[in-house]
Structure formats: C-alpha cells, structure tokens
Amino acid sequence: MASVRRLHLFDLDGTLIRGSAAAVEISRQLGLSAEIAELEADFFSRGMAPGEFAVRARELWTDLTVAQVSAAFEGAPWLAGIREVWADIRSQGDYCAVISLSPDFFVTRLLDWGAHAAHGSRWPVVPFTEPVDRAGILSPAAKVKVANRLCAEFGVGLDDCVAYGDSMSDAEIFAVVPRAVAVNADHHLSGLATHTYSGGDLREAYQLVCPVR
C-alpha cells in the first residue's frame, strides 16, 4: 500500500525569518524601522486588524521599489536549510507550502526556493499605484481556509499536514492539524504544538517530525 503523502505548512514571519518579519525587513530598506516597530506593536499588543495594519503599512511604503523588496528578501535573517528541507520534502513525494499574512509580492519569492505553493496577503503591484484592498489581506482564520484549499489541490487532508509557526497568528492552524512544530515560538502556542524547536536551522526543526530515512 502506498504511503500517505504529507503537506508541510510553513509560516513566514518569525518562523522562516528568525526574529523578524517581511514588513520589518522592507521598512528597514526604507529607513522606517521605528515606524514599523510602532505599527507592529499596535498589531501584536493592541489588537489591530490585519487589514488596518496593511493599509497603514502601505502608507509608509509609498515609495517602495522592486529593488528594495529584493534587498529586503535577500537580507532577511532566514533560517538555515530552508531549500534543503523543501528539497527533501519533494524527494519524499510530499508537499511544502508557505501561508503568511505578509504581502504576496514578498511571500511568492519563496517559490524559487522550492515551495510548491506560497500564499500571502494580496497587495497591489510594486511600485504602488493602487490602494490596499482589505478584503485581500489574510487573517489567522484565513490561513486555515488556504490550508484547506491546498489540501484539496494536493489530494491530502488536514490530518496529513504538519504546521510550522511561531505566534498567535498560527494558533488556529495548529489547532486543526495533528502535528505542529513551534519554531522559536512565543507563549501563544504553548500547549498547541506537538514539538518545540529553538534555533537557527530549519533542518533541525524538520527532523523532529521527519527523522532521517
């Protein structure tokens, strides 16, 4: 009997990018680190909705260029071993996908690293000529909806998924999958993860659920 294929679902901010986020890295390129820190505090500590965060971030990033997005992506503090983990997942006949609240123009760059799918919030094209459509901005609950769509696309169920995340935005997806790895996580995932990892190498986190075969 053929083995069941698995779908590995990765968060981006704080998970694949250790101690930072796409918005932080983009803002750094624009010299707006203090401004984005204040906006993130409103989001994480004061309950700002993801759509409002995106609208206000768009206001900060009026002059953002594709070159600055590229520099932010390339300079981000990525965990080591991401490409290697995704290559191994593919070699096993399994699937890997990224689901993030961050802008799709940043998230989809991970397709070039070997992800089968990369879903971010829908933003206007850079350089911006259009406003942010709040309806296109993902929420933690929307991440579960995207996961369900990916399951249908790849022919697996949520019971065949492994989730990797670090914070409150991952709690809902952790609650619906049987295996979840808290990666450099905060207290919001306490009791929800089946495995916990602290460190700088995704290969080590991956080994918790997929020992060397």
Side-chain angles (χ1 to χ4, degrees):
M1 186 171 119
S3 62
V4 174
R5 291 186 171 184
R6 288 196 281 191
L7 170 58
H8 296 257
L9 300 166
F10 296 89
D11 173 55
L12 174 68
D13 300 328
T15 303
L16 296 178
I17 299 177
R18 186 179 186 185
S20 190
V24 172
E25 298 304 315
I26 291 167
S27 297
R28 181 176 291 123
Q29 294 297 320
L30 293 164
L32 297 170
S33 293
E35 290 82 352
I36 202 65
E38 182 178 349
L39 193 55
E40 290 226 315
D42 286 340
F43 180 70
F44 288 111
S45 303
R46 302 176 194 124
M48 177 184 287
E52 179 63 19
F53 179 94
V55 168
R56 290 178 58 183
R58 162 69 174 80
E59 292 170 356
L60 288 178
W61 299 344
T62 300
D63 299 322
L64 184 64
T65 66
V66 172
Q68 288 168 324
V69 175
S70 296
F73 185 88
E74 292 162 10
W78 298 99
L79 290 189
I82 294 173
R83 294 176 182 85
E84 290 84 353
V85 167
W86 292 351
D88 187 75
I89 289 170
R90 283 177 169 271
S91 74
Q92 302 299 328
D94 293 337
Y95 305 102
C96 51
V98 180
I99 308 176
S100 172
L101 274 59
S102 286
D104 53 2
F105 60 75
F106 191 97
V107 179
T108 55
R109 289 169 175 257
L110 289 167
L111 293 170
D112 291 338
W113 288 16
H116 287 92
H119 287 265
S121 292
R122 189 173 67 249
W123 273 62
V125 174
V126 177
F128 300 134
T129 58
E130 301 291 335
V132 166
D133 178 3
R134 292 172 191 256
I137 304 304
L138 296 185
S139 66
K143 291 177 78 169
V144 176
K145 293 179 181 177
V146 172
N148 275 304
R149 290 203 302 269
L150 290 172
C151 284
E153 179 180 343
F154 296 129
V156 302
L158 283 175
D159 286 346
D160 307 315
C161 291
V162 183
Y164 303 77
D166 76 300
S167 67
M168 176 174 57
S169 69
D170 304 302
E172 294 195 38
I173 204 162
F174 269 42
V176 297
V177 301
R179 291 171 297 280
V181 184
V183 179
N184 298 315
D186 63 26
H187 69 280
H188 292 102
L189 298 185
S190 296
L192 291 174
T194 50
H195 302 277
T196 300
Y197 173 72
S198 179
D201 196 320
L202 187 62
R203 289 166 291 198
E204 295 171 353
Y206 175 64
Q207 288 298 315
L208 296 174
V209 286
C210 292
V212 175
R213 286 159 287 192

